[in-house]
Amino acid sequence: MEDDPFLRKFQPSELKIASEFLTNCLPFLSRDLCKDCVNVLSDRIRSLDPEHCSKVGGEGNSKAGLESEGTSNIETEISFGTLSEVLGSVLPSRQAAETASPRMSWADMSQDDEFEEEDEEEESRKAIDASPMKTPEKPKLSREQREDLRLKNVKRKKDFICLERFKGKLVNVVDGLELHTGVFSAVEQKRIVDKVYELEERGRKGELRERTFTAPQKWMRGKGRVTIQFGCCYNYATDRAGNPPGILQREEVDPLPSLFKVIIRRLIRWHVLPPTCVPDSCIVNIYDEGDCIPPHIDNHDFLRPFCTISFLSECNILFGSNLKIEGPGEFSGSFSVPLPVGSVLVLNGNGADVAKHCVPAVPTKRISITFRKMDESKRPVWFTPEPDLQRIEPLPLDLNRSDSAARSSGSSNNHNGSNRRGGGYGRRGGNNYETRGYYNPERSSEQYESREWSSSQRRGRPRPGRTS
């Protein structure tokens, strides 16, 4: 090691860090390698820090440990690079190591927040299973510091424009819409989705109240999405008993799950919804491929604003004062908004009351959760306000920075375009969001800010093909 000119550029402490890092990654790096290759790689890594490796060796044979991690016995031909090449991708230069500040991933920053407190023991067990060897301690930040850091990275777009004639006047029918991205990390999204699947399973087993869970037959394309309602039972259309659309005050459903109340507190504290309109009910929509929501305006039994959160896959939502039904699950309208995975769309003003909205048939599995506050005079007779949803205070927010970010993120797609069958952002260009999996706030927010609209969209001409 002393003869390697590359390694002589680093201090022993830096080599020790590299050794610990590569040791922890060794089960992954050595997967599918033969035993001889694993031993060669292990010896090279251990040679970086003999002191550390002697401690590890004292606890047991390292080769046996590697075998217990499940290394493969398959013979594989592979040529390793030099140790210098391996370390070149791991060790920074000495100057960079001295000046770089510690970075934490979004998943790291969410480890101690309210979502993690819902299942702390389970997360601790997973962490132990995934880390058989001691890892370097991560920078310690308080919960307040982590939350403040994440809050500053939320992207907010509030300047949607779609001009249409309404009652003889030219009106921005989407005024009041807001799109917030970066509110939920990938870790949090997975916890929410897992909870939804758990509730769906309980509903199918009959463990939820009858009006809480609904799974109608899929008698045609676009019909039959699964719904789970909490806080109130909402009637979409006049039923056999003659009850009109709206909240059924004498029908009982299950109360909000504890994790959903954590989500509501996040929405209020992070300035997504105002503290004057704290949701007390929600509906979960579970879409299979081809499911949709037809054009509608949400019933005024619910106050404004309300919001919907998207999970699993991106889809488009259409807006317009005159949405048209083109066929089963196929709609056309004047304005389309892409909903990235993990994003929160807030509906208020004209966007909630003048423009109708709909979701064309989705191309793949999707989950949405819509949170709404009931009009007090329309609440069910059995309803009792949740004590832990009272007096929620928003966190301090740098308004100047927030407004600037909103203008920046909205400048590239602040136009009135004509979109057919989910149009607006066609599959052939303009939309670089991940279409499945969990939302990556750092990558997707950057793409959202930098998206360019085509000249055909600026002129309001429709783009070919459905992009839902």
Side-chain angles (χ1 to χ4, degrees), residues 67 92 112 191 209 246 321 353:
E67 293 177 7
D112 294 326
R191 290 178 63 83
R209 289 187 172 92
S321 57
D353 297 330

Side-chain angles (χ1 to χ4, degrees), residues 62-81:
S62 61
K63 295 181 181 179
L66 290 174
E67 293 177 7
S68 67
E69 288 295 328
T71 55
S72 172
N73 292 327
I74 301 175
E75 294 295 336
T76 307
E77 290 188 6
I78 183 169
S79 61
F80 287 94

Side-chain angles (χ1 to χ4, degrees), residues 409-428:
S409 63
S411 61
S412 63
N413 56 358
N414 178 18
H415 301 284
N416 175 17
S418 176
N419 309 294
R420 295 184 58 81
R421 302 184 182 184
Y425 297 35
R427 286 195 180 103
R428 297 181 181 178

Side-chain angles (χ1 to χ4, degrees), residues 10 59 64 454 464:
F10 299 98
E59 297 173 358
S454 69

Side-chain angles (χ1 to χ4, degrees), residues 189-204:
Q189 289 176 51
K190 185 178 185 305
R191 290 178 63 83
I192 296 168
V193 169
D194 289 346
K195 182 64 176 180
V196 169
Y197 283 143
E198 174 194 325
L199 292 168
E200 181 184 21
E201 182 65 20
R202 289 181 57 195
R204 295 191 184 279

Side-chain angles (χ1 to χ4, degrees), residues 427-443:
R427 286 195 180 103
R428 297 181 181 178
N431 183 4
N432 289 324
Y433 288 126
E434 295 290 343
T435 57
R436 60 186 65 216
Y438 295 104
Y439 170 61
N440 184 323
E442 296 177 356
R443 179 175 66 254

